[in-house]
Amino acid sequence: MSFAASVLTLYPEMFPGALGLSLAGRALEAGTWSLDAIQIRDFATDRHRTVDDTPAGGGAGMVMRADVLAKAIDHASPPGDARPRLLMSPRGKPLTQARVRELAAGPGAVILCGRFEGVDQRLIEARGLEEVSVGDFILSGGEPAALVLLDAVVRLLPGVMGNAVSGEEESFENGLLEHPHYTRPQEFEGRPIPEVLMSGNHKKIAAWRRAESEALTITRRPDLVQNGKIKG
Ligand code: SAH
């Protein structure tokens, strides 16, 4: 069964975007995953196809209406649809490789992309949306965040990556940041490739890589380390 993504957006033209190219694009063409970009505006009921309104209580910006979004979600994800419903949101739980893996193992995802100040809280509660953040910064809309999430998921789908081993060795897969990489030329601007990598001694190479990974994780991402031990 292929991974089915339904994206609710005011800008369906943004999809598949970057995901129409390279590995993800080929997998999309091959039917390993599918992408349905749904125009939220099609579910507006007034003549002007309004999707947003002024915030209750006052303040700047506009808020996406619960009633219009509910119609769009119910169309994309009728009762019985087993796919998780995600809302891209800077208030959400930061996306992790573990969550990406879970999503990739499932039937797909329904993804709501916010715009303006965000969406009416009642919609989030009434449709049980899981808020997902791609980092502690503010985007102008949820679309680039949805593309980021889907890119991370699609590369894990069976058959998408040529070399499956490289997926398991990436940063975060073992709770560590990845060791540095080198390739030819043997010397670049006076900097040689570390000697151990040229030794042909696979045990020594593995130990060196592990040590580099640990040192990098401890200095750059102490949050991944607990009580001097690597998490995960
Ligand atoms: N007023 C909101 C920000 C709205 S940004 C706040 O302060 O929290 C508009 C939309 O962009 C959001 O509804 C969300 O869908 C998307 N977005 C912005 N930053 C994001 C992030 N870091 N991760 C995921 N989605 C984000």
Side-chain angles (χ1 to χ4, degrees):
M1 227 186 44
S2 73
F3 181 93
S6 297
V7 179
L8 302 160
T9 170
L10 290 173
Y11 298 97
E13 309 85 354
M14 289 194 187
F15 297 89
L19 300 182
L21 303 168
S22 188
L23 289 180
R26 255 174 276 148
L28 187 57
E29 236 162 72
T32 309
W33 68 295
S34 66
L35 177 61
D36 189 14
I38 297 163
Q39 172 56 271
I40 294 167
R41 211 172 281 288
D42 291 347
F43 299 87
T45 48
D46 67 322
R47 210 158 51 87
H48 302 290
R49 305 218 296 159
T50 310
V51 296
D52 58 331
D53 211 329
T54 53
M62 299 294 271
V63 176
M64 295 177 88
R65 289 174 58 126
D67 53 351
V68 176
L69 290 175
K71 280 209 187 82
I73 289 173
D74 294 345
H75 165 85
S77 179
D81 184 351
R83 295 176 298 167
R85 296 168 177 165
L86 314 179
L87 167 64
M88 304 320 296
S89 159
R91 301 188 323 184
K93 207 168 161 189
L95 185 64
T96 61
Q97 189 63 15
R99 185 69 185 115
V100 166
R101 267 200 182 282
E102 278 171 12
L103 290 169
V110 179
I111 305 174
L112 174 58
C113 301
R115 280 272 155 181
F116 319 119
E117 287 310 312
V119 313
D120 190 305
Q121 180 64 24
R122 295 168 296 176
L123 185 270
I124 300 176
E125 293 163 13
R127 291 298 177 273
L129 303 185
E130 171 190 344
E131 294 184 64
V132 179
S133 168
V134 294
D136 291 343
F137 43 80
I138 305 295
L139 298 166
S140 53
E143 290 80 6
L147 289 168
V148 164
L149 180 142
L150 287 172
D151 181 290
V153 167
V154 166
R155 62 187 285 284
L156 295 182
L157 299 176
V160 172
M161 282 210 303
N163 181 358
V165 176
S166 88
E168 284 158 25
E169 288 178 355
E170 307 287 356
S171 291
F172 308 119
E173 287 293 357
N174 57 4
L176 292 173
L177 302 182
E178 204 179 40
H179 56 77
H181 298 287
Y182 300 87
T183 187
R184 278 180 285 271
Q186 210 282 324
E187 194 178 306
F188 166 68
E189 295 184 351
R191 298 160 188 262
I193 293 176
E195 224 176 282
V196 56
L197 297 178
M198 311 303 287
S199 69
N201 182 332
H202 296 295
K203 240 178 130 175
K204 261 175 125 176
I205 292 172
W208 180 86
R209 286 181 169 162
R210 174 81 197 185
E212 290 286 317
S213 271
E214 289 186 4
L216 205 62
T217 309
I218 288 162
T219 49
R220 280 197 195 166
R221 293 293 305 275
D223 58 302
L224 297 176
V225 182
Q226 235 172 19
N227 309 324
K229 281 221 176 81
I230 307 291
K231 286 193 223 170

